[in-house]
Amino acid sequence: MPPKTPDPQGHALWGGRFSGKPDALMQAINVSIGFDRRLAAEDLAGSKAHAAMLAARGIISQADEAEIQRGLAAIGEEIEAGTFPFRDEFEDIHLNVEKRLEELIGAASGRLHTGRSRNDQVALDFRLWVRSACDRTVEQILGLQRALVGQAETHAATLMPGFTHLQSAQPVTFGHHLMAYVEMLGRDGGRFADARARMNESPLGAAALAGTSFPIDRQMTARALGFDKPMANSLDAVSARDFALEALAAAGMLALNLSRLAEEIVLWTTPQFGFVSLSDAFTTGSSIMPQKRNPDAAELTRAKTGRVLGAFTALSLVMKGLPLAYSKDMQEDKVPVFEAFDAVELALAAMTGMIADLKVNEARMAAAAGAGYATATDLADWLVRVLGLPFRQAHHIAGRAVKRAEELGVELAQLPLKELQTLEPGVTVGVLDVLTPEASAASRTSYGGTAPERVRAEIARWKEILR
């Protein structure tokens, strides 16, 4: 019997075709275990489901399946304990697990890969990870919504200026303002739920790209892994990454909304606004200016948006020119997704903490609510409602009233009645009842309006949703 020829690859589980070792640079660019080790739990789950199906279909023996399941469980325990030997020489999480399984149970390990490929294996692992990331993000969104609703309930009648163009526009309540973000976040959560529903099909069993000749049961593995059904086309199954792009698109819109709220916190905590304050838990000091209290958590939340939007762009550029089915380019799909969801997770946690931590300066907000002649529209509305004037004529009169108040250096509510009657003789003392910020906000009782009674109704509705 001729001597056994050493495997020039030594460790490589795909090395039979090759007669030489890869260059060190090839090894460096090819290895992915440094980041795809995060898929360990998903890889084990997929392998357990696959092994159970192989045994159920009689493709492997019950004894081999039992050994495989025992080995996979042991690997899971090692990973949990931090003792699993992750090794660069085995490229990725799939080969690391497969090689360790061989070390633990011997020859039976070689039967696990029957009827599958690393192509459908990685597609499965990544899809499982993104699905879980969407679920985690939705839970965090709900937590932030609850924090916002809690502050909104406390401040359902707390006056503040509403802005357009960052100029005082009309009085609103702080509760109403916060509830706007509850609505925005509700849409964000819906986008993740929609993405999750579309991605909830299993690629396992597509093998390399064409399916397999083994009599596998893809419905069984799909059910075991919580999928609605198997993907219907094997080429699509191994090459699709739109599920990750859709999740990143949802994450990008969420990050934009968090950034808007973060920007408002940055503004509101300045001495110039002075609307709210944050405790030491969510601020930092200055190395040279002892008076400073910097809202760094809000600023960093705002900055995370670039990382999340950049991840969508990065993965789009990876995928944009790839023919079917799998290409090694797709190894670059994971890092931007991992980084984006890490950023979103941290931003959501920080924002939830900041919202719960906010202390509101109600007096400062109320004073600002009436500044800048913010009840001018209320004057115009009164002229339409009580005197029957066309709105455009009423708008013109209200504008002249603002000009006269500016000349006298008073707010609209302080403008003498005779001055208003000079502009429109039909004006009565009743107009003064609508020119205060409190009256203005209370009058906005239309659905979705800022009247405290409306705000409280919306809070009650959302508390029921978030229960």
Side-chain angles (χ1 to χ4, degrees):
M1 182 176 181
K4 183 179 180 181
T5 303
D7 179 0
Q9 292 296 315
H11 61 268
L13 302 183
W14 42 263
R17 166 67 176 82
F18 292 79
S19 58
K21 286 188 176 183
D23 186 88
L25 281 174
M26 179 63 210
Q27 175 70 3
I29 198 171
N30 194 49
V31 68
S32 62
I33 189 60
F35 55 84
D36 69 15
R37 65 174 61 192
R38 293 180 66 162
L39 299 175
E42 289 76 16
D43 197 69
L44 291 173
S47 290
K48 289 175 181 178
H50 186 65
M53 179 275 296
L54 292 176
R57 297 291 292 166
I59 299 170
I60 66 173
S61 70
Q62 296 290 335
D64 282 343
E65 191 228 339
E67 278 296 283
I68 289 169
Q69 297 290 3
R70 180 181 66 80
L72 292 173
I75 290 171
E77 291 171 3
E78 289 181 344
I79 291 171
E80 184 72 22
T83 61
F84 182 84
F86 292 105
R87 289 170 279 189
D88 286 355
E89 62 194 281
F90 299 134
E91 295 182 22
D92 57 27
I93 186 60
H94 322 296
L95 293 188
N96 265 266
V97 169
E98 188 169 339
K99 187 63 177 178
R100 182 59 178 153
L101 187 64
E102 180 185 354
E103 293 169 354
L104 290 173
I105 69 170
S109 67
R111 302 191 186 281
L112 174 59
H113 212 51
T114 307
R116 75 172 182 184
S117 160
R118 271 198 297 177
N119 292 355
D120 63 337
Q121 190 176 1
V122 68
L124 170 69
D125 292 0
F126 194 33
R127 193 173 286 252
L128 287 171
W129 192 94
V130 174
R131 187 180 72 180
S132 294
C134 289
D135 291 342
R136 291 192 302 271
T137 303
V138 168
E139 283 302 310
Q140 281 196 283
I141 288 171
L142 293 173
L144 176 52
Q145 287 178 297
R146 292 185 186 103
L148 287 162
V149 168
Q151 284 282 17
E153 189 168 28
T154 300
H155 296 286
T158 299
L159 291 175
M160 70 172 290
F163 297 97
T164 61
H165 309 276
L166 203 55
Q167 304 293 314
S168 292
Q170 291 179 298
V172 297
T173 70
F174 189 49
H176 189 57
H177 195 109
L178 294 179
M179 291 303 294
Y181 284 101
V182 174
E183 293 286 339
M184 293 158 70
L185 289 164
R187 294 192 294 274
D188 287 323
R191 278 185 278 269
F192 282 106
D194 289 346
R196 189 201 194 284
R198 263 183 292 279
M199 74 177 69
N200 205 36
E201 299 180 359
S202 174
L204 185 59
L209 76 164
T212 178
S213 58
F214 291 97
I216 62 173
D217 185 345
R218 294 189 63 205
Q219 295 283 354
M220 178 180 174
T221 52
R223 285 192 303 270
L225 294 166
F227 289 105
D228 295 329
K229 59 184 178 180
M231 296 181 73
N233 184 285
S234 60
L235 290 167
D236 180 41
V238 299
S239 63
R241 294 298 184 271
D242 56 343
F243 67 91
L245 282 166
E246 187 172 7
L248 286 178
M253 284 184 274
L254 169 62
L256 287 169
N257 287 335
L258 293 178
S259 183
R260 295 181 73 181
L261 181 52
E263 170 67 7
E264 300 217 86
I265 290 175
V266 171
L267 290 173
W268 293 340
T269 55
T270 61
Q272 289 75 20
F273 274 78
F275 287 178
V276 303
S277 61
L278 290 168
S279 74
D280 294 352
F282 292 97
T283 56
T284 63
S286 166
S287 63
I288 190 173
M289 295 168 284
Q291 83 281 8
K292 294 292 292 300
R293 183 188 288 275
N294 300 320
D296 284 4
E299 293 171 15
L300 289 167
T301 296
R302 187 175 59 187
K304 297 290 183 189
T305 307
R307 186 180 297 247
V308 179
L309 294 177
F312 179 86
T313 301
L315 183 52
S316 297
L317 292 174
V318 167
M319 298 302 299
K320 72 174 183 64
L322 297 186
L324 297 179
Y326 180 84
S327 296
K328 193 68 170 184
D329 309 52
M330 292 183 195
Q331 183 168 289
E332 296 297 312
D333 58 1
K334 297 165 199 67
V335 170
V337 174
F338 292 161
E339 289 185 346
F341 276 96
D342 285 349
V344 164
E345 180 179 356
L346 191 55
L348 278 166
M351 187 59 69
T352 303
M354 281 187 286
I355 291 298
D357 186 66
L358 282 181
K359 297 296 183 287
V360 178
N361 188 334
E362 296 184 23
R364 185 69 174 265
M365 275 191 175
Y373 309 102
T375 57
T377 303
D378 297 275
L379 173 57
D381 288 347
W382 187 91
L383 293 170
V384 171
R385 187 172 59 252
V386 177
L387 301 185
L389 299 182
F391 182 79
R392 284 301 167 203
Q393 182 182 349
H395 184 282
H396 180 72
I397 293 169
R400 290 170 59 198
V402 168
K403 182 178 180 181
R404 184 57 180 153
E406 285 178 327
E407 292 169 351
L408 296 176
V410 298
E411 295 296 334
L412 272 179
Q414 300 166 332
L415 193 63
L417 181 61
K418 64 180 181 180
E419 295 287 347
L420 290 170
Q421 290 172 333
T422 299
L423 301 172
E424 168 51 55
V427 171
T428 68
V429 70
V431 75
L432 301 179
D433 294 335
V434 303
L435 296 183
T436 64
E438 294 83 359
S440 174
S443 71
R444 308 293 171 181
T445 56
S446 59
Y447 181 76
T450 193
E453 63 184 87
R454 275 292 180 191
V455 175
R456 292 189 181 99
E458 285 304 297
I459 289 169
R461 181 175 71 87
W462 270 104
K463 286 176 73 174
E464 188 63 30
I465 293 171
L466 297 171
R467 193 181 304 279

